[in-house]
């Protein structure tokens, strides 16, 4: 097989923006390994993902031992596991054999590797030093890793939702404008047709009157022309973040001016307005393919599982990484909050909200639904239709108070009598339901004295 070009493979498989640890310490090695692994047909992205998991679990086993040499070898294996984790995606982009299941498998195995390595690293140090801080550090590492990736996925989901809503409202507005233009054109065509009919009637009447020689019949006004829809009325919504991603070295204002006829929506206008230096830093970093988020989940893992074991300061490295990751997460949340404000502004421009937004309806206050307030509004007319009262014919066999089936009256037998269930007297015409036996108690006269111990 012919030898692959490292530069060509790097240009095809490397991302336009990535973490600085990946750009500086992973991509140079991963690209050269990819050029060698791509020669074999049995090497697939999913198999590379499994290999990355097994190497990571081996790193966790060495972390659990806790001695100095095991920590160094474990850190080297963790870095190799991360390189393999990057190769699977590059291999999928190179050969075009990626799959949705492979992306899910890569994500789940990353979380499993972090979980096992965190428990093994901190657990091994706890077994050697018996300091409870390492157990707390393990919980912090697992929690922050979970928070980072869950928050990233949720923010991405919300951004896609905002984009979808803007595109939907814009399309509805364009459709309404097109419908209004079509109705106006139809009305104008109807007026033109009516004008033509009137002109034809006038010409027919003048022809019947036999006009004098040399007399020219009056000419009617020219029929108005129909309005033609402007070309390119269907303008597509363009988002500024997409333009900046495709053209990282150009200013946002310049991109907005040269965006064409499409409507440009900027959901990060407030953030760039409050932090103008961010654009310059971003452009300087993107020249080297480094994204502005300098402390992400990747750097967090690398400092804990590689830098900490190598320098022998696991606890302090974990604490510093956790603080930096937390600060950057707060910045991301603040940026997303400003983006939601820009989204609200854009939605108000596209479809203004009604004046009653943010208030409580009058019919929800206490007493309104009972009719105690004289001027209270009446309930909606469809309430009785939605909640109709039960009708008698709906269940003919239903009785609120079911009565027992009557039985014929029988003559009382010796030792039995008939009484009502509530203990009252039975009327003469009452039909009894069942006989109740009566026990006859015989009175016995017996004398007693005060000395026999019985009470009177």
């Amino acid at each position: 097989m012919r030898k692959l070009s490292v530069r060509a493979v790097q240009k095809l498989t490397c991302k336009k923006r990535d973490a600085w640890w990946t750009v500086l310490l992973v991509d140079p090695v991963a690209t050269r390994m990819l050029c060698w692994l791509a020669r074999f047909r049995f090497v697939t992205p999913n198999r590379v993902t499994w290999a990355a998991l097994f190497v990571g679990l081996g790193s966790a086993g060495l972390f659990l031992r806790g001695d100095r040499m095991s920590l160094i070898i474990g850190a080297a294996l963790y870095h190799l596991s991360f390189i393999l984790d990057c190769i699977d995606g590059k291999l999928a982009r190179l050969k075009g054999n990626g799959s949705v299941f492979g992306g899910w498998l890569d994500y789940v195995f990353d979380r499993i590797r972090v979980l096992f390595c965190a428990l093994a690293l901190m657990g091994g140090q706890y077994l050697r030093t018996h300091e409870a801080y390492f157990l707390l550090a393990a919980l912090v590492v697992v929690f922050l890793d979970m928070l980072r990736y869950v928050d990233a996925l949720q923010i991405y989901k919300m951004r896609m939702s905002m984009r979808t809503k803007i595109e939907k409202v814009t399309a509805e507005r364009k459709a309404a404008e097109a419908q209004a233009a079509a109705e106006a054109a139809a009305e104008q065509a109807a007026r033109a047709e009516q004008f033509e009919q009137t002109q034809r009637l006038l010409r027919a009447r003048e022809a019947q009157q036999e006009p004098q020689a040399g007399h020219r019949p009056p000419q009617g006004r020219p029929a108005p022309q129909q309005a033609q829809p402007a070309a390119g009325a269907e303008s597509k919504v363009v988002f500024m973040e997409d333009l900046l991603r495709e053209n990282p070295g150009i200013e946002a204002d310049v991109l907005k001016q040269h965006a064409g006829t499409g409507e440009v929506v900027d959901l990060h206008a407030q953030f760039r307005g409050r932090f103008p230096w961010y654009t310059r830093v971003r452009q300087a970093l993107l020249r080297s393919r480094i994204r502005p988020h300098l402390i992400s989940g990747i750097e967090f893992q690398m400092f804990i599982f590689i830098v900490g074991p190598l320098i022998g300061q696991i606890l302090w490295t974990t604490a510093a990484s956790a603080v930096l990751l937390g600060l950057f997460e707060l910045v991301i949340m603040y940026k997303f909050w400003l983006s939601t404000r820009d989204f609200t502004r854009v939605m108000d421009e596209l479809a203004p909200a009604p004046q009653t937004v943010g208030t409580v309806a009058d019919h929800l206050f206490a007493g309104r639904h009972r009719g105690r307030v004289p001027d209270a509004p009446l309930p909606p007319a469809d309430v009785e239709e939605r909640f109709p009262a039960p009708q008698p014919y709906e269940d003919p066999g239903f009785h609120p108070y079911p009565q027992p089936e009557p039985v014929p009256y029988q003559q009382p037998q010796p030792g039995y009598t008939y009484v009502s269930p509530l203990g009252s007297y039975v009327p003469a015409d009452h039909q009894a339901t069942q006989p109740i036996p009566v026990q006859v108690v015989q009175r016995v006269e017996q004398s007693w004295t005060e000395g026999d111990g019985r009470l009177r």
Side-chain angles (χ1 to χ4, degrees):
M1 180 179 289
R2 292 180 300 174
K3 184 177 181 181
L4 297 175
S5 173
V6 177
R7 186 178 297 273
V9 171
Q10 183 178 6
K11 185 177 181 180
L12 178 63
T13 60
C14 293
K15 299 179 181 179
K16 294 183 178 180
R17 299 186 305 168
D18 212 334
W20 63 268
W21 186 281
T22 304
V23 173
L24 300 178
L25 301 176
V26 176
D27 282 346
V29 181
T31 306
R32 288 166 174 81
M33 291 181 62
L34 177 63
C35 294
W36 177 71
L37 292 175
R39 301 178 180 182
F40 306 99
R41 294 183 179 272
F42 66 90
V43 178
T44 61
N46 288 348
R47 291 177 180 176
V48 175
T49 304
W50 279 97
L53 175 65
F54 291 145
V55 175
L57 295 180
S59 174
L62 292 172
F63 285 155
L64 186 60
R65 298 180 60 179
D67 58 282
R68 179 65 176 168
M69 185 57 62
S70 298
L71 292 178
I72 295 176
I73 300 176
L77 286 181
Y78 191 89
H79 191 257
L80 177 60
S81 173
F82 186 74
I83 291 176
L84 293 175
D85 186 35
C86 294
I87 289 178
D88 58 2
K90 297 180 185 297
L91 183 62
R93 288 188 290 270
L94 179 63
K95 292 187 175 182
N97 57 351
S99 62
V100 178
F101 178 77
W104 173 84
L105 195 70
D106 183 28
Y107 177 80
V108 173
F109 282 1
D110 287 347
R111 308 283 69 77
I112 294 176
R113 180 181 57 193
V114 171
L115 175 62
F116 276 84
C117 288
L119 296 179
L121 179 62
M122 302 305 172
Q125 296 302 309
Y126 172 75
L127 294 177
R128 291 178 61 88
T129 61
H130 300 284
E131 294 184 4
Y133 293 106
F134 288 101
L135 300 180
L136 180 61
L139 295 178
V140 170
V141 171
V142 175
F143 171 76
L144 289 179
D145 181 77
M146 176 194 67
L147 175 65
R148 170 70 192 102
Y149 284 91
V150 169
D151 184 52
L153 292 177
Q154 189 66 18
I155 289 179
Y156 175 78
K157 179 181 177 181
M158 293 296 103
R159 290 189 185 280
M160 293 297 103
S161 175
M162 291 190 295
R163 291 167 64 108
T164 303
K165 290 181 180 179
I166 291 176
E167 292 175 350
K168 180 181 178 181
V169 173
T170 304
E172 292 176 352
R173 188 186 65 174
K174 295 295 181 182
E177 293 177 356
Q179 183 178 1
E183 293 177 355
E187 183 179 358
Q188 189 175 5
R191 291 179 180 178
E193 182 67 22
Q194 185 178 5
F195 178 78
E196 288 293 337
Q197 293 179 2
T198 305
Q199 293 299 317
R200 286 195 296 268
L201 291 175
L202 289 176
R203 286 194 295 268
R205 185 179 300 176
E206 291 172 358
Q208 293 176 0
Q209 294 178 0
E210 296 181 357
Q212 300 178 0
H215 179 73
R216 186 177 181 182
Q219 299 291 332
R221 295 180 300 172
Q225 299 181 357
Q226 298 182 6
Q228 298 294 333
E234 291 283 339
S235 59
K236 184 180 179 181
V237 181
V238 180
F239 293 91
M240 180 60 66
E241 54 184 338
D242 295 339
L243 297 177
L244 291 174
R245 186 180 297 108
E246 297 174 358
N247 307 277
I250 305 178
E251 296 287 344
D253 297 336
V254 178
L255 291 175
K256 191 172 184 178
Q257 294 176 1
H258 296 80
T261 58
E263 184 177 357
V264 180
V265 177
D266 190 1
L267 296 180
H268 298 285
Q270 293 192 32
F271 184 80
R272 283 194 296 270
R274 297 190 180 188
F275 305 97
W277 52 267
Y278 172 78
T279 304
R280 297 189 295 269
V281 174
R282 178 178 178 274
Q283 293 179 355
L285 292 175
L286 289 181
R287 294 189 185 99
S288 302
R289 297 194 305 113
I290 299 176
R291 60 187 181 186
H293 192 185
L294 300 179
I295 303 295
S296 63
I298 295 177
E299 288 81 10
F300 178 67
Q301 298 176 26
M302 300 304 114
F303 270 85
I304 293 175
F305 301 123
I306 297 179
V307 177
L310 290 179
I311 65 176
Q313 298 291 335
I314 298 176
L315 199 59
W316 286 104
T317 305
T318 302
S321 303
V323 171
L324 292 177
L325 181 64
L327 291 177
F328 269 87
E329 284 301 310
L330 292 178
V331 172
I332 291 177
M333 294 177 186
Y334 176 72
K335 183 180 179 181
F336 177 69
W337 174 68
L338 294 179
S339 180
T340 57
R341 297 185 60 180
D342 289 328
F343 168 74
T344 304
R345 172 183 54 81
V346 172
M347 292 296 293
D348 290 341
E349 295 176 357
L350 296 176
Q355 299 294 333
T356 57
V357 173
T359 60
V360 180
D362 293 336
H363 67 278
L364 298 178
F365 288 96
R368 294 300 178 98
H369 61 287
R370 298 187 180 93
R372 297 179 180 177
V373 182
D375 57 347
L378 297 177
D382 59 342
V383 171
E384 296 182 357
E385 298 179 0
R386 291 185 297 166
F387 307 100
Q391 301 296 333
Y393 58 82
E394 293 182 357
D395 190 2
F398 173 76
H399 299 285
Y401 302 98
Q403 300 293 336
E405 297 182 1
V407 296
Y409 181 77
Q410 301 178 0
Q411 294 292 334
Q413 301 177 3
Y416 292 88
T417 184
Y418 291 92
V419 296
S420 65
L422 300 180
S424 58
Y425 292 99
V426 179
D429 58 347
H430 178 72
Q431 296 178 352
T433 58
Q434 60 181 354
I436 301 178
V438 178
Q439 182 180 3
V440 180
V441 180
Q442 184 178 2
R443 183 175 181 180
V444 179
E445 296 291 341
Q446 185 177 1
S447 60
W448 61 279
T449 59
E450 294 184 357
D452 58 0
R454 292 179 299 173
L455 296 179
R456 186 173 182 176

